[in-house]
């Protein structure tokens, strides 16, 4: 997390809720149609993609796939 109030340049968010919540979209074969308001974290992307590809997730992966995102069960 980086925050700056400088007059020039950019920053990486603020403490405002609109900077803390982002939209994530996925589509394609194996993805469940629908919308969820469940909390999704970046580390969940690797095991989810691994599952879609039918490969073993990264060895140090400590999180589960995205909840209810996959049609593959």
């Amino acid at each position: 997390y980086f925050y700056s109030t400088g007059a020039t340049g950019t920053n990486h968010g603020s403490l405002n809720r609109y900077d803390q919540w982002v939209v994530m979209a996925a589509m394609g074969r194996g993805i469940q149609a629908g919308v969820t308001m469940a909390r999704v974290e970046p580390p969940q992307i690797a095991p989810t993609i691994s599952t879609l590809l039918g490969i073993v997730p990264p060895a140090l992966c400590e999180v589960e796939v995205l909840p209810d995102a996959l049609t593959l069960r």
Side-chain angles (χ1 to χ4, degrees):
Y1 183 80
F2 174 76
Y3 180 71
S4 173
T5 59
T8 61
T10 61
N11 63 50
H12 295 285
S14 70
L15 298 178
N16 296 313
R17 184 168 297 283
Y18 64 81
D19 273 341
Q20 296 177 15
W21 291 67
V22 297
V23 174
M24 185 195 142
M27 63 182 284
R29 187 170 61 185
I31 302 293
Q32 177 70 31
V35 175
T36 182
M37 295 302 288
R39 182 183 177 115
V40 174
E41 298 182 358
Q44 291 175 288
I45 295 171
T48 301
I49 292 174
S50 296
T51 300
L52 285 169
L53 295 173
I55 61 175
V56 177
L60 297 177
C61 190
E62 298 178 352
V63 296
E64 299 294 322
V65 298
L66 295 172
D68 301 322
L70 304 180
T71 60
L72 307 171
R73 302 284 174 182

